[in-house]
Amino acid sequence: MKMKHAFTFLAVMMILFLAIVFVPKTLLLKESSNQTAAKPQKVEMSKETSSSVSSQKENSKEKTETLEEKAAKIVDSMTLEQKIGQLLMVGFKGVEKNEEIIDLISNKSVGGVILFDRNMETPEQVANLNNSLQKLAAKQPFSIPLLIGVDQEGGDILRMRDKVSPIPSQQELGQVENAQNVFEVAYINGKELAAMGFNVNFAPVLDLSNTDSRSFGTDPEKVYHLGEKVVQGFNKANITATLKHFPGNGRSKVDPHLDTSSVKADKTDLENSDIYPFQKIIENVDNQSFFVMITHIKYPSYDSEKPASLSSVIMKKLLREKLDYTGIIVTDDLEMGAVNKYYSYEDMAKEAINAGADLLLVCHEYSHQVEVYNGLLKAAKKGEIPEERINEAATRLLTYKLTHIRDPIVDPQYAKETVGSEEHQKLIENSLKTRE
């Protein structure tokens, strides 16, 4: 009996021993097997993530292409008259819509409006005015929003200066040489403009000058860096900047508002100085975030006959082909003495579009605006402007609008609270005190 119990005891002990030795190994093997099986899952997740990022990039590309295609389809559906209207940005008189601007938007499909002091009394009023213009445009075929622009450079060029923040001149900001401050001032300026319903500001000035208060100075590198900060500040506020006055007004001693003039420098000199700030911003900043404004001054080293605003050599060969600019080209005001003393409005309009301009500024007189519109229409019908050129400009403008102008209606109360606020004024005051 004792022997039987002893044998049973030994058997139990043997089972326990085997369990202690082999079961942990089995578990470890199982766990190792599970971990090995999990590794391919991690690799698979990595592939999915990579695929997702790639898909997002493709979707983004497709979205851009879709907007361009949508713009092209709209242009294909438009009448010649409607296309031509989109190529004009006009001004008018008064603080409310008048019969002339109503006619231009309703019957001639003009694509843009520029405001001056004569249109601006208070931030609230400007917001209401711009809303009314956008609502009128929305009632027209295709409901295409308006470009609404202003010259709000700062310093001497400041619309409604008693209500907006005291934006310093570029000369003052250039003397302080603080790039971050330039960015902040541009952002404040842009924020106030956007609050009032603007979407384009005709600034910064990239002309090189040590006397003009509109210029950052004569150092091309500094003008490039500070100009780039202005573009970035405006863009942060959803305002499109405008580099002006290509290829550089700084050397001219004659105001193009009054008469023509010529810059005698050779190409190498110009491209290493006056053109350099434009070139660098075009190279380094998204071309859809700014326009380029063409001056009316002559540059005989490029074109011995025509002013820049009517020159295909300057707009197509230099700006489009050599500098590879892909955004919107806008002329300076066609009512300036530098061109209207020497060309009819019909001829100016035809030559500017043929030379490569996308948008024509006609800022003041209704009769001149109608002459430009009729001149383009007449020339297009006679085949003197290829319809492909009109389609190209209209598509470029519509693509911009579809991309950048999503909700053009603004809150007048917000404009009242934002424009010229105490916070903005303090920030601007400090911007002129701090050097880098």
Side-chain angles (χ1 to χ4, degrees):
M1 193 72 178
K2 284 182 180 180
M3 286 292 293
K4 186 178 180 182
H5 283 302
F7 185 79
T8 303
F9 174 76
L10 285 171
V12 169
M13 291 299 291
M14 183 63 73
I15 291 168
L16 287 172
F17 172 77
L18 291 171
I20 289 169
V21 171
F22 291 104
V23 170
K25 287 186 178 180
T26 305
L27 289 171
L28 283 169
L29 285 168
K30 186 176 181 181
E31 184 178 348
S32 175
S33 174
N34 287 341
Q35 286 179 346
T36 304
K39 283 182 181 178
Q41 287 183 343
K42 286 187 178 179
V43 172
E44 189 62 34
M45 285 172 65
S46 176
K47 284 180 181 177
E48 287 173 5
T49 304
S50 174
S51 175
S52 175
V53 170
S54 176
S55 176
Q56 286 172 10
K57 287 181 179 178
E58 286 301 315
N59 287 342
S60 175
K61 186 178 178 183
E62 285 174 14
K63 185 178 179 182
T64 302
E65 290 171 350
T66 301
L67 289 175
E68 290 172 357
E69 289 169 2
K70 184 176 179 182
K73 285 177 183 176
I74 293 171
V75 170
D76 285 343
S77 302
M78 296 170 84
T79 64
L80 179 61
E81 289 82 357
Q82 290 166 339
K83 295 176 194 178
I84 284 171
Q86 285 297 309
L87 313 188
L88 304 184
M89 177 176 268
V90 300
F92 67 100
K93 298 175 180 68
V95 295
E96 295 180 345
K97 298 193 305 289
N98 62 17
E99 289 182 6
E100 293 171 351
I101 194 63
I102 290 171
D103 171 60
L104 290 165
I105 293 172
S106 300
N107 300 320
K108 296 176 175 60
S109 303
V110 296
V113 176
I114 180 170
L115 300 192
F116 292 86
D117 272 324
R118 66 192 179 209
N119 308 113
M120 304 169 69
E121 290 182 336
T122 68
E124 228 174 341
Q125 170 266 325
V126 175
N128 281 317
L129 172 59
N130 285 338
N131 283 348
S132 72
L133 294 169
Q134 292 288 13
K135 288 175 182 176
L136 179 61
K139 293 178 182 177
Q140 309 313 311
F142 308 105
S143 299
I144 301 168
L146 295 167
L147 296 172
I148 302 185
V150 66
D151 291 298
Q152 199 75 331
E153 300 170 14
D156 292 338
I157 312 299
L158 197 65
R159 311 307 183 200
M160 203 171 66
R161 67 172 54 250
D162 59 332
K163 296 293 192 301
V164 300
S165 292
I167 308 298
S169 70
Q170 290 191 180
Q171 185 181 60
E172 291 174 291
L173 290 168
Q175 289 167 351
V176 175
E177 290 191 70
N178 186 313
Q180 184 59 30
N181 285 2
V182 171
F183 171 84
E184 293 296 341
V185 168
Y187 174 59
I188 289 168
N189 189 2
K191 189 176 177 183
E192 295 190 0
L193 293 176
M196 293 186 284
F198 293 100
N199 44 50
V200 177
N201 190 10
F202 292 112
V205 173
L206 299 187
D207 304 333
L208 305 183
S209 175
N210 58 7
T211 57
D212 189 350
S213 67
R214 302 170 73 191
S215 171
F216 282 124
T218 56
D219 177 3
E221 191 71 30
K222 181 175 85 170
V223 172
Y224 150 54
H225 282 297
L226 297 185
E228 183 179 43
K229 289 297 178 184
V230 174
V231 174
Q232 292 170 352
F234 288 161
N235 289 171
K236 183 181 176 183
N238 296 317
I239 291 290
T240 295
T242 307
L243 311 185
K244 65 185 190 183
H245 307 81
F246 186 84
N249 269 5
R251 299 178 192 238
S252 176
K253 304 302 179 188
V254 179
D255 183 349
H257 289 84
L258 305 175
D259 211 332
T260 189
S261 62
S262 293
V263 171
K264 304 298 183 184
D266 63 31
K267 290 181 182 180
T268 302
D269 187 7
L270 287 167
E271 289 172 20
N272 288 330
S273 55
D274 302 62
I275 294 171
Y276 180 84
F278 294 93
Q279 175 191 345
K280 295 300 289 183
I281 293 178
I282 289 167
E283 283 178 2
N284 296 311
V285 180
D286 177 8
N287 287 192
Q288 306 313 307
S289 66
F290 61 87
F291 298 172
V292 173
M293 178 181 283
I294 309 297
T295 183
H296 296 312
I297 290 173
K298 292 180 179 179
Y299 297 82
S301 60
Y302 288 100
D303 191 326
S304 59
E305 296 180 3
K306 295 180 180 179
S309 55
L310 307 181
S311 170
S312 64
V313 177
I314 287 175
M315 282 190 270
K316 289 182 179 177
K317 290 188 177 179
L318 176 59
L319 183 54
R320 288 283 187 218
E321 295 174 15
K322 187 167 186 176
L323 301 189
D324 198 26
Y325 176 62
T326 59
I328 290 169
I329 296 176
V330 55
T331 67
D332 210 342
D333 181 15
L334 295 182
E335 291 175 291
M336 289 184 178
V339 282
N340 76 357
K341 284 185 177 181
Y342 306 96
Y343 298 86
S344 70
Y345 286 103
E346 287 189 358
D347 288 341
M348 271 192 284
K350 177 179 72 175
E351 294 206 27
I353 294 296
N354 274 333
D358 302 305
L359 184 64
L360 308 183
L361 271 182
V362 195
C363 296
H364 301 289
E365 299 300 328
Y366 173 75
S367 60
H368 298 159
Q369 293 155 2
V370 172
E371 281 184 66
V372 166
Y373 174 84
N374 287 336
L376 288 175
L377 187 58
K378 178 181 173 183
K381 286 181 175 179
K382 290 171 67 177
E384 294 172 353
I385 304 175
E387 192 164 0
E388 307 86 73
R389 171 80 271 268
I390 293 171
N391 290 346
E392 176 191 38
T395 301
R396 190 174 280 126
L397 286 160
L398 262 63
T399 301
Y400 167 84
K401 290 180 178 185
L402 292 173
T403 307
H404 294 276
I405 310 176
R406 294 178 180 85
D407 184 6
I409 304 302
V410 296
D411 179 3
Q413 182 60 32
Y414 177 72
K416 182 180 179 181
E417 295 167 358
T418 302
V419 177
S421 70
E422 189 175 334
E423 178 191 3
H424 286 180
Q425 295 194 41
K426 285 180 180 177
L427 287 168
I428 287 169
E429 186 179 344
N430 291 332
S431 74
L432 296 175
K433 295 178 181 178
T434 313
R435 283 185 172 271
E436 281 185 315

